Amino acid sequence: MASGWKAHRHSFFTKLLLAFLIVGSVPFLFHMFASNIFIGSIRSEIVKNTDLRMNYSVAKYEDHFRKLEEAVAPFLNSSRFAAITGEADKYGYFNAVNALREEFAKLSSASNNLYVHNVFIAFQDKDLLIDKTGLVPAKDFYMRQYMHSDYGEAFWSEPFREPYRSRIFPAVRFDKEQLDGSHEQTGLYFPIIFKHKINQTFYIGVLLDAEALSRSYSLSGSDVFQISGPDGRLLYSSDRASVVNAANATSLPQTGTGTGTDGGYFTESGNYIFQIHGQATGLSYVNFVPNEQITAQLHRLNAVWLVLLVLSVLVSFLLSVILSFKFKQPIQKLVHSLQRSSPDIQLRSTISEFKLIGDRLQDLIASGNRIRDDLHQKTKMLEKYGYLDLVKRINVNHKDVRSLVDTSKPFYFILFQIERTRRFRELGIGDQQLTGYIVEFINLSMQQRFPGAITAQSEKDLLFAIVFAETAGSDGESTPDVYEENSGRETEVAGSKRDRGDGADGFGLCVELMDQLARMKQVFDRDGGFYYLTVAFNPSLRSASEFTAAYEDGMELLRQRRLEPLTQIVREKHPVRDDLHFSPAEEREFAASLQSGHASAAVELVRRMLHRVGKADATAWQYRQFAQEIVSKLLMALTAQRIDPVEWHGETPIYELARDLATAEEYADFLDTWTRRAAALIEGKLSETDPILDFIRRYVESHYGEDIQQETVAGKLNISAGYMCNYIKSRSGVTFTDLLNDVRVNKAKEMLEATDCKINEVASLVGYQNANSFTRMFRKLTGLTPLEYRRERRMAAEG
């Protein structure tokens, strides 16, 4: 055993362990001493501060709930309920409703400081309730204005059966349905129910803003503040992700120095919990002081410990210097050997671990060489990212990446765009797999012909290659036979180069590049049935600062591609017409044809426009833009008729169906098919009849010039005006006023086109008493004033 100890006492582990034990013992003992002194003061401070804040918050909450109950109490005993429940007196009924609406609106206003969002009265035998906006259908209130899975129709009918006087329910965020059918979340509200002691046929509901209460009364700061009901159910929490909830807190043992029977104590995790029961409401208020706060207070006490800590550091430093000196010599020898990359190490040390390190140095050197090769490959990859940064102006600005980019050489820039055909989609091969094959082929081809060339992928289907002028072939031979497809092009390029003063190397490289691109095109053409490329190559030698300009110029050249499914090399820009779209009159005619479901008229307009695009020798990009414009108009027309686009194009998005169109015939067939489908769906929608809506439309179209009141139309249908308005909105998506204004404006259009009546006369004839109101409504619905509309229509008729 003695010999074993002698062997181990000289090991590196033993000596290092002893050194750290000696160095670390001083601050460890110091912190043990300091912790025992200050831990009591930390706990007392937490208890004192938190207890004061909790008492304030509880008092405020209890007082607020008391004030709210006092504010609602007059409504429970109001004499207006007799007028509301007694339906014989309609005048008294509506007066009572309006009076309650005004009082509810006043109670819900910010001036009351009760943080009430809404107040309503629900009746057991009525499908209507009264809130701050007036009479509201109960189902609309629960299922459209305040929707939540926990507070459905069954929940709001339960108070009629339960024997309590008042109750607070958990705060939630309700969903509110918007005019376009979407949902928007409201604030965080407590639902509170108040009931009459005797009369159980109605109750008053209050939606109380929980977040406003917390902001005003809770002083918990970063602590977690919770409220739970008498049954332990969590009503509100400032942190929904908290591990501890109010239900757990009510069952914790009562210790500490809290108020009454309430108090706080430290949990195993270090959190401090305070709990107070409200005397009036029976609610439990709980506050959690997280462990992070305790840590923060410890940091504040560190200033007190600083002097002692400096002394302990000084002592530790002296001990460390003495003990570390014993390791200085062998470590220095190891460092020198590593700097020389020499495994020949002569260590005069009794530590066995140092000898093992020396034996392994040779292996480390060999491993370093392998790592160096791997880093070289990764450096080439980073170099590509650096050029991508310059080309697309991403502004990575990482100094290690930017240092790999050579911005001192002139270069040629080539941009490649991949297009796939429908046959390729049928193969089931992933898009990125094809892109990877093409990137590898382009990279190998360019590297073999032009060493030092850079090839990288900039987007999903976009690649670029950069060839520097210094990589021109030594022979400088041109190959005019590759320019048969554009005769005379070589002479043109040569002339342009010499006019600019480019050297012979630059021109020779340009010729080699065009030769290489032509050879690559032959390879791509072999798979022409499955994919094809557009190669944008501007035969201009770029300066070192034009990376982004070269990329943008390449993108412009890509848009010059002609509509044919073949690989094309584009080297010149041609003027592109910007008028290949519907005129304003054609747009209105197309929209009218769709809205009326006239498929033949809409298809004829599309065909006429496609014929115009074809005669203009449009590019593939212009065809695609036109197709996207038509698809957008079709989607807008379907949406206006409340038709689900999925019913039109199925599960596959329409824009995805259009991405592989390659010929004018394919575009014509595609647009013809989908225009007819859209028009057929709209026509079917229009053919659906609704007796009530048809009667209302006929009445409005017959009496549009009169002062039409909602009550008059509703009376002819023997229904209430409110029911009629809700019916129109639910069936057509517009209000009665919108329908009336639409009819009047359409009639005004006819008069403006067919007569020379003055604007105020037209306004009076279509039912507007004020010409200014008529002009504002006309502009809102048409985008033009009446005079502008008359002038435009007459100019179109004359032209």
Side-chain angles (χ1 to χ4, degrees):
M1 181 176 294
S3 60
W5 162 247
K6 291 181 180 179
H8 288 291
R9 69 179 182 177
H10 296 297
S11 67
F12 181 80
F13 173 80
T14 303
K15 292 181 179 292
L16 193 61
L17 178 61
L18 289 174
F20 282 139
L21 285 175
I22 295 172
V23 172
S25 61
V26 175
F28 174 78
L29 294 174
F30 159 73
H31 281 289
M32 287 290 293
F33 175 77
S35 298
N36 290 330
I37 294 177
F38 293 108
I39 192 66
S41 61
I42 296 173
R43 181 174 302 175
S44 299
E45 183 181 349
I46 293 174
V47 171
K48 179 180 177 181
N49 293 337
T50 309
D51 197 37
L52 289 173
R53 288 189 280 112
M54 275 291 290
N55 285 326
Y56 172 85
S57 297
V58 171
K60 286 294 185 179
Y61 269 92
E62 292 288 298
D63 183 64
H64 191 94
F65 288 130
R66 179 186 59 78
K67 290 180 179 178
L68 179 62
E69 186 172 3
E70 293 175 354
V72 173
F75 297 118
L76 294 173
N77 302 297
S78 175
S79 60
R80 297 190 181 93
F81 289 111
I84 294 175
T85 55
E87 298 183 359
D89 184 7
K90 296 295 183 181
Y91 180 80
Y93 175 84
F94 283 107
N95 279 345
V97 169
N98 288 330
L100 286 172
R101 178 187 59 80
E102 292 175 359
E103 291 177 6
F104 287 171
K106 182 177 179 181
L107 184 60
S108 303
S109 66
S111 61
N112 262 327
N113 293 326
L114 288 177
Y115 308 120
V116 174
H117 172 71
N118 200 352
V119 185
F120 64 92
I121 297 180
F123 301 91
Q124 187 173 10
D125 56 351
K126 291 181 180 293
D127 293 329
L128 297 173
L129 55 80
I130 305 170
D131 73 346
K132 65 181 181 182
T133 63
L135 280 174
V136 181
K139 287 190 176 181
D140 280 2
F141 188 87
Y142 306 143
M143 301 178 67
R144 298 182 68 179
Q145 296 185 26
Y146 298 97
M147 295 184 294
H148 194 273
S149 58
D150 294 338
Y151 298 107
E153 186 174 359
F155 169 83
W156 295 110
S157 62
E158 185 178 343
F160 295 115
R161 301 186 297 270
E162 294 292 331
Y164 59 81
R165 286 284 307 281
S166 65
R167 183 171 294 178
I168 303 174
F169 294 92
V172 296
R173 296 188 187 276
F174 293 93
D175 286 334
K176 183 176 182 180
E177 184 174 337
Q178 304 299 307
L179 293 177
D180 59 356
S182 63
H183 290 175
E184 180 181 5
Q185 278 200 332
T186 65
L188 188 67
Y189 303 139
F190 285 113
I192 306 178
I193 303 298
F194 296 93
K195 297 168 59 179
H196 194 273
K197 183 185 299 183
I198 300 174
N199 189 352
Q200 301 292 317
T201 61
F202 73 95
Y203 68 82
I204 295 179
V206 177
L207 296 178
L208 189 62
D209 193 335
E211 292 174 326
L213 286 175
S214 179
R215 288 193 297 270
S216 298
Y217 301 149
S218 177
L219 301 179
S220 59
S222 61
D223 304 346
V224 178
F225 179 77
Q226 295 181 343
I227 304 175
S228 60
D231 57 353
R233 187 180 183 185
L234 182 64
L235 302 181
Y236 171 77
S237 175
S238 61
D239 181 14
R240 292 291 182 178
S242 178
V243 176
V244 183
N245 56 39
N248 300 129
T250 57
S251 63
L252 294 173
Q254 306 296 337
T255 60
T257 59
T259 302
T261 60
D262 302 309
Y265 66 96
F266 279 99
T267 66
E268 293 182 359
S269 60
N271 295 328
Y272 201 88
I273 302 175
F274 283 81
Q275 174 184 313
I276 297 180
H277 293 287
Q279 298 298 323
T281 61
L283 301 180
S284 293
Y285 303 84
V286 183
N287 196 66
F288 305 93
V289 181
N291 191 34
E292 291 79 7
Q293 183 172 333
I294 301 172
T295 304
Q297 296 191 35
L298 282 173
H299 289 322
R300 290 195 295 269
L301 295 173
N302 279 339
V304 181
W305 303 341
L306 183 60
V307 176
L308 294 176
L309 183 61
V310 169
L311 291 176
S312 66
V313 169
L314 289 175
V315 175
S316 299
F317 176 77
L318 292 175
L319 292 174
S320 299
V321 170
I322 296 172
L323 294 173
S324 299
F325 183 78
K326 294 182 176 293
F327 303 100
K328 179 179 179 181
Q329 281 189 330
I331 291 176
Q332 280 185 333
K333 287 186 176 292
L334 289 173
V335 171
H336 292 160
S337 298
L338 288 172
Q339 290 174 343
R340 296 192 303 269
S341 297
S342 172
D344 186 14
I345 305 173
Q346 299 295 329
L347 295 178
R348 296 178 181 177
S349 175
T350 59
I351 299 175
S352 57
E353 283 81 355
F354 285 156
K355 296 180 179 179
L356 180 62
I357 291 173
D359 295 336
R360 295 290 183 257
L361 270 181
Q362 188 171 1
D363 295 337
L364 289 175
I365 294 172
S367 177
N369 292 332
R370 291 193 298 270
I371 293 173
R372 191 181 302 111
D373 295 338
D374 182 61
L375 286 176
H376 176 72
Q377 295 179 1
K378 288 181 171 58
T379 300
K380 296 299 292 182
M381 185 180 299
L382 287 175
E383 182 184 17
K384 292 185 179 181
Y385 282 117
Y387 282 105
L388 181 61
D389 175 25
L390 288 177
V391 166
K392 299 204 68 177
R393 201 176 291 170
I394 301 174
N395 293 325
V396 174
N397 288 327
H398 194 287
K399 61 180 182 180
D400 293 333
V401 176
R402 299 298 294 268
S403 64
L404 300 174
V405 178
D406 189 349
T407 57
S408 62
K409 302 176 184 177
F411 63 92
Y412 287 103
F413 189 85
I414 309 100
L415 194 60
F416 303 85
Q417 185 175 40
I418 305 171
E419 301 283 351
R420 298 164 182 81
T421 66
R422 292 180 178 177
R423 289 181 61 191
F424 174 81
R425 304 293 180 192
E426 295 171 357
L427 296 177
I429 301 175
D431 291 358
Q432 190 56 43
Q433 188 175 357
L434 173 65
T435 303
Y437 291 149
I438 295 177
V439 169
E440 188 64 24
F441 170 73
I442 294 175
N443 183 53
L444 290 175
S445 301
M446 288 294 183
Q447 285 288 339
Q448 289 175 358
R449 189 75 177 265
F450 311 103
I454 302 297
T455 304
Q457 180 178 355
S458 58
E459 293 182 22
K460 177 182 177 182
D461 296 324
L462 282 179
L463 324 169
F464 66 84
I466 301 173
V467 179
F468 297 99
E470 286 79 357
T471 60
S474 58
D475 54 0
E477 295 179 359
S478 62
T479 54
D481 57 300
V482 299
Y483 303 112
E484 295 178 359
E485 58 178 350
N486 290 303
S487 60
R489 177 64 186 160
E490 180 185 4
T491 304
E492 179 185 344
V493 173
S496 65
K497 289 291 179 182
R498 290 176 182 127
D499 291 341
R500 287 175 47 231
D502 291 339
D505 285 345
F507 171 66
L509 177 59
C510 181
V511 173
E512 286 190 56
L513 266 172
M514 288 190 287
D515 178 26
Q516 181 64 20
L517 293 177
R519 296 178 186 275
M520 293 167 64
K521 179 182 182 304
Q522 295 175 3
V523 177
F524 294 138
D525 286 341
R526 296 172 187 171
D527 299 325
F530 300 96
Y531 69 89
Y532 50 89
L533 273 71
T534 307
V535 184
F537 173 53
N538 186 342
S540 300
L541 193 63
R542 298 280 185 173
S543 66
S545 62
E546 295 182 291
F547 284 100
T548 303
Y551 184 80
E552 293 172 351
D553 182 62
M555 294 297 294
E556 290 295 325
L557 285 176
L558 289 179
R559 293 186 178 183
Q560 300 287 322
R561 174 185 178 80
R562 297 300 158 187
L563 191 64
E564 56 178 356
L566 295 172
T567 294
Q568 299 179 24
I569 301 176
V570 183
R571 293 188 287 267
E572 294 180 304
K573 295 182 183 178
H574 301 283
V576 177
R577 292 178 57 178
D578 58 358
D579 59 344
L580 299 180
H581 49 76
F582 281 149
S583 65
E586 288 173 329
E587 283 196 7
R588 288 191 290 272
E589 183 180 356
F590 185 68
S593 300
L594 286 176
Q595 292 173 1
S596 59
H598 293 164
S600 58
V603 170
E604 178 59 30
L605 278 169
V606 174
R607 288 178 177 175
R608 189 192 313 163
M609 189 63 209
L610 275 175
H611 179 70
R612 192 186 310 165
V613 172
K615 285 186 63 178
D617 194 23
T619 63
W621 179 80
Q622 289 174 306
Y623 269 95
R624 182 168 297 175
Q625 293 294 108
F626 175 71
Q628 291 178 351
E629 178 184 354
I630 296 298
V631 168
S632 298
K633 294 181 184 300
L634 295 177
L635 286 171
M636 290 174 61
L638 291 169
T639 303
Q641 294 296 330
R642 293 174 171 261
I643 298 174
D644 188 354
V646 176
E647 185 180 350
W648 176 48
H649 57 66
E651 296 299 328
T652 304
I654 188 66
Y655 291 106
E656 186 173 337
L657 295 173
R659 65 180 179 178
D660 297 328
L661 302 177
T663 64
E665 291 76 14
E666 290 180 357
Y667 275 100
D669 292 342
F670 175 83
L671 294 177
D672 186 292
T673 299
W674 293 105
T675 302
R676 289 185 185 278
R677 288 190 185 181
L681 287 172
I682 295 173
E683 183 181 15
K685 185 74 173 180
L686 294 175
S687 65
E688 299 175 0
T689 60
D690 188 304
I692 295 179
L693 285 179
D694 290 346
F695 174 83
I696 295 172
R697 290 193 182 100
R698 287 196 303 271
Y699 185 89
V700 170
E701 289 175 354
S702 301
H703 301 80
Y704 62 87
E706 304 171 9
D707 183 15
I708 301 177
Q709 299 295 325
Q710 298 178 8
E711 290 77 8
T712 303
V713 182
K716 293 184 177 297
L717 291 168
N718 199 24
I719 59 178
S720 69
Y723 178 81
M724 182 188 73
C725 293
N726 290 333
Y727 187 89
I728 295 172
K729 180 67 175 178
S730 63
R731 295 303 178 94
S732 64
V734 298
T735 64
F736 176 82
T737 304
D738 294 336
L739 189 150
L740 178 59
N741 285 325
D742 187 61
V743 171
R744 285 175 169 173
V745 169
N746 285 333
K747 295 296 183 182
K749 288 181 182 178
E750 297 175 3
M751 295 181 185
L752 290 169
E753 294 180 25
T755 69
D756 292 323
C757 294
K758 296 181 179 179
I759 301 303
N760 58 350
E761 295 175 350
V762 174
S764 178
L765 289 172
V766 297
Y768 289 96
Q769 302 302 318
N770 186 297
N772 291 333
S773 299
F774 166 67
T775 300
R776 284 195 299 271
M777 184 56 63
F778 194 94
R779 181 195 291 272
K780 178 181 177 181
L781 295 182
T782 65
L784 303 171
T785 65
L787 284 175
E788 292 171 345
Y789 179 82
R790 172 180 278 171
R791 188 182 304 114
E792 181 179 299
R793 297 305 296 175
R794 293 187 175 180
M795 289 177 62
E798 293 173 359

